Amino acid sequence: MRLLWLCVATLALLLVLASAATLKDTPKERYDGYGVYRLSVKNKLQQAVIEQLSQLSSKYNIWKDYDEHSQEVHIMVAPAELQHFQALLSLHAISSEQIIENVQDLIDAEQVTPAADSAPFGWTKYYELSEIEAWLDSILAAYPAVTEEFIVGQSYEGRTIRGIKISHKAGNPGIFIESNIHAREWITSASATWFINELLTSQEPAVRNLAESYDWHIVPVFNVDGFEYSHAKNRMWRKTRQPHATNECIGVDANRNFDSHWLENNGASSNPCSETFAGDVPGSEPEAKALTEYLKTIENEFSVYISFHSYGQYLLSPYGHTKEEFPDNYDDLLEIGEAFATAVESLPYGTAYRYGSTADVLYVATGTSVDWVFNELNKKVAFTIEYRDQGRYGFILPPVQILPNCQELMAGMLALIDKTEELGYL
Ligand code: 0X9
Ligand code: ZN
């Protein structure tokens, strides 16, 4: 009997060691020959076919879900599936256009930055979590009088979700920014760190006013586990990293996991393999749970909430759960959206943003952080910014576009805050 137990224990130890070794040693996921296609979707049947495909998320990965305005889906397809994919498209008369030929080429190009980029931190390349955190530490050390670290909580893998508060005086109205809830949306944390840096260093009067008249609470990388994984193992990772109890697919869409209209109205998926899996219960993800708990503790310290995403060039407001109803202050939210979009478009790049409610302008999305803050904390100015671009590079926005995107963010944010104040919310 004792021998049997010894055998069982040894076997268990070996299994643990083996899984730890595979995790450490597994090579990076490569995307050679993976293409991204823009599909034109004309009816419910075509929609259902694509929905079916998307459940096989490593072979067919949705980059942009169907929305009624563009009537398009962007989908990444593995080379081995291409024949099957083309056959299915022609069978269902779905027209398609390739927008990215080889995803790996873009991933490789993303890593090539000018040799002159030897500065410890800047905005001409993308950084890993450890580099962003080291930079955050240096910023906290350099501006001790006006900055303060805050901790949202711990991730599933035990990382600390960190934020920075910038405050020049007591009693300022507060603005909360959550960024990189979706791991692969790297432009979001690059823009968040740039924005923090501007608030602290810019001499522009308008930016000084923004920095000194408001308290800023900024979490540059919210989905820390997913972000780390997107750098170390899989550039296209979106979700959290908590394994599922009964399914081998890993992770939850953290932006479907909040307790507001959770899993209603097809605004999320109950399939653990879907990229929009809502989790088994609201708040199943330690990250989402930690954020709601933290936000409740500072409920009286902020009036505006903004979540950074990519891509598509939208400024989205509640509701996400329905397009049959709109918030009471929707006219105000539209006015703020118009101010943001006009300011961004007036820059030399001419980048166009669409604005309006998530469910109306984009698609129904439930259990999102923004809707939770809007509905449960009653913060009446809450937005999602979907940054550049519209699909040419998608999530792999070239590093040369980081700064232009940031300039657009600042122009848009100045207008957004101005209008929000004018309308009496700040
Ligand atoms: O689907 C999402 O979660 C967001 N789009 S993304 O391509 N970045 O995944 C949009 C969510 C916007 N809606 C709300 N936050 N309400
Ligand atoms: Zn996103």
PDB file of all heavy atoms in Angstrom, residues 152-183:
ATOM      1  N   VAL A 152      -4.331  47.888  -7.773  1.00  0.00           N
ATOM      2  CA  VAL A 152      -5.698  47.430  -8.016  1.00  0.00           C
ATOM      3  C   VAL A 152      -5.904  46.064  -7.372  1.00  0.00           C
ATOM      4  O   VAL A 152      -6.963  45.779  -6.813  1.00  0.00           O
ATOM      5  CB  VAL A 152      -5.973  47.355  -9.540  1.00  0.00           C
ATOM      6  CG1 VAL A 152      -7.327  46.727  -9.832  1.00  0.00           C
ATOM      7  CG2 VAL A 152      -5.885  48.748 -10.159  1.00  0.00           C
ATOM      8  N   GLY A 153      -4.894  45.217  -7.430  1.00  0.00           N
ATOM      9  CA  GLY A 153      -5.004  43.864  -6.859  1.00  0.00           C
ATOM     10  C   GLY A 153      -4.038  42.936  -7.548  1.00  0.00           C
ATOM     11  O   GLY A 153      -3.086  43.380  -8.203  1.00  0.00           O
ATOM     12  N   GLN A 154      -4.315  41.633  -7.419  1.00  0.00           N
ATOM     13  CA  GLN A 154      -3.417  40.625  -7.974  1.00  0.00           C
ATOM     14  C   GLN A 154      -4.102  39.898  -9.136  1.00  0.00           C
ATOM     15  O   GLN A 154      -5.301  39.633  -9.085  1.00  0.00           O
ATOM     16  CB  GLN A 154      -3.078  39.571  -6.904  1.00  0.00           C
ATOM     17  CG  GLN A 154      -2.490  40.135  -5.629  1.00  0.00           C
ATOM     18  CD  GLN A 154      -1.140  40.789  -5.848  1.00  0.00           C
ATOM     19  OE1 GLN A 154      -0.949  41.958  -5.525  1.00  0.00           O
ATOM     20  NE2 GLN A 154      -0.197  40.047  -6.424  1.00  0.00           N
ATOM     21  N   SER A 155      -3.305  39.513 -10.113  1.00  0.00           N
ATOM     22  CA  SER A 155      -3.838  38.752 -11.241  1.00  0.00           C
ATOM     23  C   SER A 155      -3.899  37.276 -10.888  1.00  0.00           C
ATOM     24  O   SER A 155      -3.386  36.861  -9.844  1.00  0.00           O
ATOM     25  CB  SER A 155      -2.916  38.926 -12.447  1.00  0.00           C
ATOM     26  OG  SER A 155      -1.684  38.267 -12.179  1.00  0.00           O
ATOM     27  N   TYR A 156      -4.487  36.485 -11.782  1.00  0.00           N
ATOM     28  CA  TYR A 156      -4.563  35.031 -11.547  1.00  0.00           C
ATOM     29  C   TYR A 156      -3.175  34.444 -11.314  1.00  0.00           C
ATOM     30  O   TYR A 156      -2.980  33.624 -10.423  1.00  0.00           O
ATOM     31  CB  TYR A 156      -5.233  34.336 -12.744  1.00  0.00           C
ATOM     32  CG  TYR A 156      -5.101  32.837 -12.632  1.00  0.00           C
ATOM     33  CD1 TYR A 156      -5.853  32.124 -11.705  1.00  0.00           C
ATOM     34  CD2 TYR A 156      -4.173  32.136 -13.422  1.00  0.00           C
ATOM     35  CE1 TYR A 156      -5.702  30.749 -11.557  1.00  0.00           C
ATOM     36  CE2 TYR A 156      -4.019  30.768 -13.277  1.00  0.00           C
ATOM     37  CZ  TYR A 156      -4.790  30.084 -12.343  1.00  0.00           C
ATOM     38  OH  TYR A 156      -4.625  28.735 -12.191  1.00  0.00           O
ATOM     39  N   GLU A 157      -2.196  34.870 -12.090  1.00  0.00           N
ATOM     40  CA  GLU A 157      -0.839  34.316 -11.941  1.00  0.00           C
ATOM     41  C   GLU A 157      -0.029  35.019 -10.856  1.00  0.00           C
ATOM     42  O   GLU A 157       1.173  34.801 -10.734  1.00  0.00           O
ATOM     43  CB  GLU A 157      -0.101  34.355 -13.296  1.00  0.00           C
ATOM     44  CG  GLU A 157      -0.688  33.356 -14.296  1.00  0.00           C
ATOM     45  CD  GLU A 157      -0.051  33.409 -15.687  1.00  0.00           C
ATOM     46  OE1 GLU A 157       0.631  34.410 -16.007  1.00  0.00           O
ATOM     47  OE2 GLU A 157      -0.275  32.451 -16.448  1.00  0.00           O
ATOM     48  N   GLY A 158      -0.677  35.899 -10.120  1.00  0.00           N
ATOM     49  CA  GLY A 158      -0.028  36.513  -8.959  1.00  0.00           C
ATOM     50  C   GLY A 158       0.731  37.797  -9.239  1.00  0.00           C
ATOM     51  O   GLY A 158       1.497  38.268  -8.391  1.00  0.00           O
ATOM     52  N   ARG A 159       0.540  38.360 -10.420  1.00  0.00           N
ATOM     53  CA  ARG A 159       1.185  39.653 -10.682  1.00  0.00           C
ATOM     54  C   ARG A 159       0.391  40.775 -10.023  1.00  0.00           C
ATOM     55  O   ARG A 159      -0.816  40.662  -9.849  1.00  0.00           O
ATOM     56  CB  ARG A 159       1.274  39.910 -12.198  1.00  0.00           C
ATOM     57  CG  ARG A 159       2.198  38.960 -12.902  1.00  0.00           C
ATOM     58  CD  ARG A 159       2.417  39.279 -14.375  1.00  0.00           C
ATOM     59  NE  ARG A 159       3.364  38.307 -14.903  1.00  0.00           N
ATOM     60  CZ  ARG A 159       3.027  37.094 -15.326  1.00  0.00           C
ATOM     61  NH1 ARG A 159       1.758  36.742 -15.368  1.00  0.00           N
ATOM     62  NH2 ARG A 159       3.949  36.252 -15.735  1.00  0.00           N
ATOM     63  N   THR A 160       1.086  41.863  -9.727  1.00  0.00           N
ATOM     64  CA  THR A 160       0.408  43.017  -9.138  1.00  0.00           C
ATOM     65  C   THR A 160      -0.083  43.937 -10.257  1.00  0.00           C
ATOM     66  O   THR A 160       0.688  44.280 -11.157  1.00  0.00           O
ATOM     67  CB  THR A 160       1.386  43.780  -8.214  1.00  0.00           C
ATOM     68  OG1 THR A 160       1.818  42.854  -7.202  1.00  0.00           O
ATOM     69  CG2 THR A 160       0.725  44.971  -7.564  1.00  0.00           C
ATOM     70  N   ILE A 161      -1.349  44.290 -10.184  1.00  0.00           N
ATOM     71  CA  ILE A 161      -1.905  45.233 -11.172  1.00  0.00           C
ATOM     72  C   ILE A 161      -1.715  46.630 -10.599  1.00  0.00           C
ATOM     73  O   ILE A 161      -2.325  46.998  -9.600  1.00  0.00           O
ATOM     74  CB  ILE A 161      -3.405  44.956 -11.427  1.00  0.00           C
ATOM     75  CG1 ILE A 161      -3.616  43.501 -11.866  1.00  0.00           C
ATOM     76  CG2 ILE A 161      -3.961  45.939 -12.459  1.00  0.00           C
ATOM     77  CD1 ILE A 161      -5.083  43.067 -11.855  1.00  0.00           C
ATOM     78  N   ARG A 162      -0.817  47.385 -11.230  1.00  0.00           N
ATOM     79  CA  ARG A 162      -0.409  48.675 -10.665  1.00  0.00           C
ATOM     80  C   ARG A 162      -0.988  49.867 -11.412  1.00  0.00           C
ATOM     81  O   ARG A 162      -1.209  49.808 -12.620  1.00  0.00           O
ATOM     82  CB  ARG A 162       1.118  48.779 -10.691  1.00  0.00           C
ATOM     83  CG  ARG A 162       1.822  47.624  -9.979  1.00  0.00           C
ATOM     84  CD  ARG A 162       3.305  47.683 -10.233  1.00  0.00           C
ATOM     85  NE  ARG A 162       3.893  48.892  -9.632  1.00  0.00           N
ATOM     86  CZ  ARG A 162       5.127  49.316  -9.885  1.00  0.00           C
ATOM     87  NH1 ARG A 162       5.903  48.668 -10.736  1.00  0.00           N
ATOM     88  NH2 ARG A 162       5.596  50.401  -9.306  1.00  0.00           N
ATOM     89  N   GLY A 163      -1.173  50.929 -10.679  1.00  0.00           N
ATOM     90  CA  GLY A 163      -1.624  52.167 -11.303  1.00  0.00           C
ATOM     91  C   GLY A 163      -0.857  53.344 -10.739  1.00  0.00           C
ATOM     92  O   GLY A 163      -0.153  53.224  -9.736  1.00  0.00           O
ATOM     93  N   ILE A 164      -0.991  54.479 -11.409  1.00  0.00           N
ATOM     94  CA  ILE A 164      -0.353  55.708 -10.928  1.00  0.00           C
ATOM     95  C   ILE A 164      -1.423  56.792 -10.798  1.00  0.00           C
ATOM     96  O   ILE A 164      -2.275  56.942 -11.684  1.00  0.00           O
ATOM     97  CB  ILE A 164       0.802  56.148 -11.866  1.00  0.00           C
ATOM     98  CG1 ILE A 164       1.483  57.415 -11.349  1.00  0.00           C
ATOM     99  CG2 ILE A 164       0.321  56.340 -13.307  1.00  0.00           C
ATOM    100  CD1 ILE A 164       2.759  57.784 -12.111  1.00  0.00           C
ATOM    101  N   LYS A 165      -1.376  57.472  -9.678  1.00  0.00           N
ATOM    102  CA  LYS A 165      -2.268  58.620  -9.495  1.00  0.00           C
ATOM    103  C   LYS A 165      -1.429  59.885  -9.618  1.00  0.00           C
ATOM    104  O   LYS A 165      -0.362  59.992  -9.008  1.00  0.00           O
ATOM    105  CB  LYS A 165      -2.940  58.556  -8.126  1.00  0.00           C
ATOM    106  CG  LYS A 165      -3.870  59.729  -7.868  1.00  0.00           C
ATOM    107  CD  LYS A 165      -4.598  59.603  -6.536  1.00  0.00           C
ATOM    108  CE  LYS A 165      -5.314  60.909  -6.204  1.00  0.00           C
ATOM    109  NZ  LYS A 165      -5.909  60.891  -4.875  1.00  0.00           N
ATOM    110  N   ILE A 166      -1.914  60.806 -10.425  1.00  0.00           N
ATOM    111  CA  ILE A 166      -1.228  62.090 -10.576  1.00  0.00           C
ATOM    112  C   ILE A 166      -2.166  63.161 -10.038  1.00  0.00           C
ATOM    113  O   ILE A 166      -3.291  63.315 -10.537  1.00  0.00           O
ATOM    114  CB  ILE A 166      -0.890  62.371 -12.065  1.00  0.00           C
ATOM    115  CG1 ILE A 166      -0.017  61.237 -12.621  1.00  0.00           C
ATOM    116  CG2 ILE A 166      -0.211  63.733 -12.214  1.00  0.00           C
ATOM    117  CD1 ILE A 166       0.256  61.335 -14.111  1.00  0.00           C
ATOM    118  N   SER A 167      -1.718  63.843  -9.007  1.00  0.00           N
ATOM    119  CA  SER A 167      -2.582  64.847  -8.384  1.00  0.00           C
ATOM    120  C   SER A 167      -1.766  66.064  -7.970  1.00  0.00           C
ATOM    121  O   SER A 167      -0.786  65.937  -7.260  1.00  0.00           O
ATOM    122  CB  SER A 167      -3.265  64.236  -7.155  1.00  0.00           C
ATOM    123  OG  SER A 167      -4.001  65.254  -6.486  1.00  0.00           O
ATOM    124  N   HIS A 168      -2.215  67.215  -8.454  1.00  0.00           N
ATOM    125  CA  HIS A 168      -1.517  68.454  -8.092  1.00  0.00           C
ATOM    126  C   HIS A 168      -2.152  69.152  -6.907  1.00  0.00           C
ATOM    127  O   HIS A 168      -1.517  69.989  -6.274  1.00  0.00           O
ATOM    128  CB  HIS A 168      -1.430  69.401  -9.292  1.00  0.00           C
ATOM    129  CG  HIS A 168      -0.325  69.025 -10.242  1.00  0.00           C
ATOM    130  ND1 HIS A 168      -0.435  67.984 -11.133  1.00  0.00           N
ATOM    131  CD2 HIS A 168       0.921  69.527 -10.412  1.00  0.00           C
ATOM    132  CE1 HIS A 168       0.697  67.877 -11.818  1.00  0.00           C
ATOM    133  NE2 HIS A 168       1.527  68.789 -11.401  1.00  0.00           N
ATOM    134  N   LYS A 169      -3.415  68.872  -6.669  1.00  0.00           N
ATOM    135  CA  LYS A 169      -4.024  69.480  -5.473  1.00  0.00           C
ATOM    136  C   LYS A 169      -5.233  68.676  -5.004  1.00  0.00           C
ATOM    137  O   LYS A 169      -5.908  68.002  -5.801  1.00  0.00           O
ATOM    138  CB  LYS A 169      -4.395  70.945  -5.729  1.00  0.00           C
ATOM    139  CG  LYS A 169      -5.290  71.211  -6.898  1.00  0.00           C
ATOM    140  CD  LYS A 169      -5.557  72.723  -7.023  1.00  0.00           C
ATOM    141  CE  LYS A 169      -6.587  73.049  -8.079  1.00  0.00           C
ATOM    142  NZ  LYS A 169      -6.114  72.816  -9.452  1.00  0.00           N
ATOM    143  N   ALA A 170      -5.497  68.775  -3.715  1.00  0.00           N
ATOM    144  CA  ALA A 170      -6.630  68.045  -3.149  1.00  0.00           C
ATOM    145  C   ALA A 170      -7.931  68.620  -3.704  1.00  0.00           C
ATOM    146  O   ALA A 170      -8.024  69.816  -3.991  1.00  0.00           O
ATOM    147  CB  ALA A 170      -6.605  68.157  -1.629  1.00  0.00           C
ATOM    148  N   GLY A 171      -8.903  67.754  -3.872  1.00  0.00           N
ATOM    149  CA  GLY A 171     -10.227  68.214  -4.282  1.00  0.00           C
ATOM    150  C   GLY A 171     -10.432  68.327  -5.775  1.00  0.00           C
ATOM    151  O   GLY A 171     -11.519  68.709  -6.230  1.00  0.00           O
ATOM    152  N   ASN A 172      -9.421  67.998  -6.568  1.00  0.00           N
ATOM    153  CA  ASN A 172      -9.610  67.981  -8.022  1.00  0.00           C
ATOM    154  C   ASN A 172     -10.614  66.902  -8.414  1.00  0.00           C
ATOM    155  O   ASN A 172     -10.624  65.832  -7.811  1.00  0.00           O
ATOM    156  CB  ASN A 172      -8.291  67.625  -8.715  1.00  0.00           C
ATOM    157  CG  ASN A 172      -7.435  68.835  -9.014  1.00  0.00           C
ATOM    158  OD1 ASN A 172      -7.909  69.976  -8.998  1.00  0.00           O
ATOM    159  ND2 ASN A 172      -6.163  68.590  -9.299  1.00  0.00           N
ATOM    160  N   PRO A 173     -11.418  67.142  -9.452  1.00  0.00           N
ATOM    161  CA  PRO A 173     -12.243  66.053  -9.966  1.00  0.00           C
ATOM    162  C   PRO A 173     -11.349  64.975 -10.585  1.00  0.00           C
ATOM    163  O   PRO A 173     -10.255  65.282 -11.074  1.00  0.00           O
ATOM    164  CB  PRO A 173     -13.111  66.714 -11.041  1.00  0.00           C
ATOM    165  CG  PRO A 173     -12.682  68.123 -11.146  1.00  0.00           C
ATOM    166  CD  PRO A 173     -11.597  68.410 -10.162  1.00  0.00           C
ATOM    167  N   GLY A 174     -11.787  63.736 -10.533  1.00  0.00           N
ATOM    168  CA  GLY A 174     -10.930  62.628 -10.958  1.00  0.00           C
ATOM    169  C   GLY A 174     -11.348  61.966 -12.259  1.00  0.00           C
ATOM    170  O   GLY A 174     -12.529  61.922 -12.627  1.00  0.00           O
ATOM    171  N   ILE A 175     -10.352  61.447 -12.960  1.00  0.00           N
ATOM    172  CA  ILE A 175     -10.569  60.706 -14.203  1.00  0.00           C
ATOM    173  C   ILE A 175      -9.813  59.386 -14.085  1.00  0.00           C
ATOM    174  O   ILE A 175      -8.629  59.390 -13.726  1.00  0.00           O
ATOM    175  CB  ILE A 175     -10.055  61.525 -15.403  1.00  0.00           C
ATOM    176  CG1 ILE A 175     -10.870  62.829 -15.530  1.00  0.00           C
ATOM    177  CG2 ILE A 175     -10.144  60.712 -16.713  1.00  0.00           C
ATOM    178  CD1 ILE A 175     -10.129  63.968 -16.157  1.00  0.00           C
ATOM    179  N   PHE A 176     -10.488  58.289 -14.370  1.00  0.00           N
ATOM    180  CA  PHE A 176      -9.861  56.963 -14.251  1.00  0.00           C
ATOM    181  C   PHE A 176      -9.643  56.385 -15.642  1.00  0.00           C
ATOM    182  O   PHE A 176     -10.569  56.357 -16.461  1.00  0.00           O
ATOM    183  CB  PHE A 176     -10.748  56.020 -13.431  1.00  0.00           C
ATOM    184  CG  PHE A 176     -10.015  54.781 -12.958  1.00  0.00           C
ATOM    185  CD1 PHE A 176      -9.552  54.685 -11.660  1.00  0.00           C
ATOM    186  CD2 PHE A 176      -9.775  53.712 -13.835  1.00  0.00           C
ATOM    187  CE1 PHE A 176      -8.866  53.547 -11.218  1.00  0.00           C
ATOM    188  CE2 PHE A 176      -9.091  52.583 -13.405  1.00  0.00           C
ATOM    189  CZ  PHE A 176      -8.636  52.496 -12.093  1.00  0.00           C
ATOM    190  N   ILE A 177      -8.419  55.927 -15.909  1.00  0.00           N
ATOM    191  CA  ILE A 177      -8.119  55.300 -17.205  1.00  0.00           C
ATOM    192  C   ILE A 177      -7.647  53.871 -16.986  1.00  0.00           C
ATOM    193  O   ILE A 177      -6.696  53.630 -16.239  1.00  0.00           O
ATOM    194  CB  ILE A 177      -7.037  56.099 -17.976  1.00  0.00           C
ATOM    195  CG1 ILE A 177      -7.576  57.485 -18.356  1.00  0.00           C
ATOM    196  CG2 ILE A 177      -6.607  55.320 -19.223  1.00  0.00           C
ATOM    197  CD1 ILE A 177      -6.552  58.372 -19.063  1.00  0.00           C
ATOM    198  N   GLU A 178      -8.330  52.948 -17.639  1.00  0.00           N
ATOM    199  CA  GLU A 178      -7.946  51.530 -17.615  1.00  0.00           C
ATOM    200  C   GLU A 178      -7.512  51.161 -19.021  1.00  0.00           C
ATOM    201  O   GLU A 178      -8.165  51.491 -19.994  1.00  0.00           O
ATOM    202  CB  GLU A 178      -9.167  50.716 -17.133  1.00  0.00           C
ATOM    203  CG  GLU A 178      -9.227  49.267 -17.557  1.00  0.00           C
ATOM    204  CD  GLU A 178     -10.478  48.997 -18.382  1.00  0.00           C
ATOM    205  OE1 GLU A 178     -11.607  49.148 -17.881  1.00  0.00           O
ATOM    206  OE2 GLU A 178     -10.320  48.636 -19.574  1.00  0.00           O
ATOM    207  N   SER A 179      -6.343  50.494 -19.105  1.00  0.00           N
ATOM    208  CA  SER A 179      -5.769  50.242 -20.422  1.00  0.00           C
ATOM    209  C   SER A 179      -5.250  48.817 -20.530  1.00  0.00           C
ATOM    210  O   SER A 179      -4.849  48.209 -19.530  1.00  0.00           O
ATOM    211  CB  SER A 179      -4.631  51.252 -20.619  1.00  0.00           C
ATOM    212  OG  SER A 179      -3.804  50.901 -21.680  1.00  0.00           O
ATOM    213  N   ASN A 180      -5.250  48.307 -21.758  1.00  0.00           N
ATOM    214  CA  ASN A 180      -4.721  46.954 -22.035  1.00  0.00           C
ATOM    215  C   ASN A 180      -5.453  45.856 -21.266  1.00  0.00           C
ATOM    216  O   ASN A 180      -4.863  44.904 -20.782  1.00  0.00           O
ATOM    217  CB  ASN A 180      -3.213  46.877 -21.731  1.00  0.00           C
ATOM    218  CG  ASN A 180      -2.393  46.361 -22.910  1.00  0.00           C
ATOM    219  OD1 ASN A 180      -1.184  46.567 -22.985  1.00  0.00           O
ATOM    220  ND2 ASN A 180      -3.029  45.674 -23.863  1.00  0.00           N
ATOM    221  N   ILE A 181      -6.787  45.970 -21.205  1.00  0.00           N
ATOM    222  CA  ILE A 181      -7.595  44.862 -20.659  1.00  0.00           C
ATOM    223  C   ILE A 181      -7.539  43.699 -21.648  1.00  0.00           C
ATOM    224  O   ILE A 181      -7.651  42.535 -21.266  1.00  0.00           O
ATOM    225  CB  ILE A 181      -9.056  45.326 -20.372  1.00  0.00           C
ATOM    226  CG1 ILE A 181      -9.836  44.268 -19.571  1.00  0.00           C
ATOM    227  CG2 ILE A 181      -9.794  45.666 -21.646  1.00  0.00           C
ATOM    228  CD1 ILE A 181     -11.184  44.761 -19.066  1.00  0.00           C
ATOM    229  N   HIS A 182      -7.395  44.006 -22.917  1.00  0.00           N
ATOM    230  CA  HIS A 182      -7.168  42.998 -23.952  1.00  0.00           C
ATOM    231  C   HIS A 182      -5.678  42.946 -24.253  1.00  0.00           C
ATOM    232  O   HIS A 182      -5.089  43.949 -24.659  1.00  0.00           O
ATOM    233  CB  HIS A 182      -7.971  43.320 -25.221  1.00  0.00           C
ATOM    234  CG  HIS A 182      -9.441  43.090 -25.045  1.00  0.00           C
ATOM    235  ND1 HIS A 182     -10.399  43.876 -25.632  1.00  0.00           N
ATOM    236  CD2 HIS A 182     -10.103  42.149 -24.333  1.00  0.00           C
ATOM    237  CE1 HIS A 182     -11.602  43.422 -25.285  1.00  0.00           C
ATOM    238  NE2 HIS A 182     -11.442  42.375 -24.495  1.00  0.00           N
ATOM    239  N   ALA A 183      -5.103  41.764 -24.057  1.00  0.00           N
ATOM    240  CA  ALA A 183      -3.649  41.645 -24.041  1.00  0.00           C
ATOM    241  C   ALA A 183      -2.970  42.110 -25.328  1.00  0.00           C
ATOM    242  O   ALA A 183      -1.960  42.798 -25.296  1.00  0.00           O
ATOM    243  CB  ALA A 183      -3.281  40.196 -23.743  1.00  0.00           C
TER     244      ALA A 183
END
